[in-house]
Amino acid sequence: MDERERLERALEALRKFVCGLAEQAGESEAYAQGLWEGIRHSGGLLSELAYYYDNGEFLCEYQVAGYTLADILVWQVDHFKLYMDRPEDMNRYRQPRLLLASFDTMLQMEKNPEAFAEKMRCETGQDIR
């Protein structure tokens, strides 16, 4: 098998991984394909996804506005804490959904980094009134 074939197989494995996560998270096939296309065209996110696929953890080398995927995941989990008193919403925050949302948010951050950086600085997930 030549290098091109190995690359094509690796990309297909990653595509299937994203689609499988989307299915576990209750997302549509269209959502999965759109997210995959975005990741595939982002060199930084593609590297992060490949590393996660192989190792089960974030590489955290790729950053947008100083934030990594791990930073985004922590921010999302902080928001999850707000839903702990709303059981009907809890299933929205399962691991596959959080993982996909981290990649999705990073894709959006690539297009509008400052807006997301501001949210991450200001929205702590704490229900303070």
Side-chain angles (χ1 to χ4, degrees):
M1 176 183 329
D2 68 11
E3 189 172 327
R4 181 177 170 82
E5 288 173 315
R6 282 193 304 275
L7 176 60
E8 290 298 324
R9 281 188 176 189
L11 288 172
E12 180 60 15
L14 292 175
R15 185 192 70 76
K16 286 180 178 180
F17 180 64
V18 169
C19 290
L21 288 171
E23 184 177 333
Q24 292 172 39
E27 294 289 352
S28 70
E29 189 174 321
Y31 171 83
Q33 274 305 122
L35 182 59
W36 165 245
E37 286 301 316
I39 292 170
R40 191 171 73 86
H41 289 98
S42 169
L45 282 176
L46 187 58
S47 293
E48 291 285 339
L49 179 65
Y51 187 86
Y52 188 90
Y53 179 81
D54 290 340
N55 299 285
E57 61 186 29
F58 293 129
L59 178 60
C60 291
E61 285 186 359
Y62 181 60
Q63 296 182 16
V64 175
Y67 292 98
T68 66
L69 283 167
D71 296 322
I72 292 170
L73 184 67
V74 168
W75 176 63
Q76 291 171 336
V77 169
D78 280 347
H79 282 85
F80 164 76
K81 292 174 189 174
L82 287 174
Y83 289 94
M84 291 182 76
D85 62 346
R86 294 182 250 173
E88 67 277 2
D89 289 335
M90 289 279 285
N91 284 334
R92 292 176 44 202
Y93 294 92
R94 294 176 303 205
Q95 183 178 348
R97 184 176 296 275
L98 286 168
L99 181 58
L100 290 174
S102 296
F103 278 94
D104 197 3
T105 298
M106 186 68 94
L107 280 171
Q108 293 175 53
M109 283 181 77
E110 288 179 339
K111 296 174 185 158
N112 190 0
E114 191 49 44
F116 281 92
E118 181 67 19
K119 284 182 180 186
M120 291 180 70
R121 281 190 298 270
C122 297
E123 296 178 6
T124 64
Q126 297 176 357
D127 194 10
I128 300 173
R129 296 184 208 277

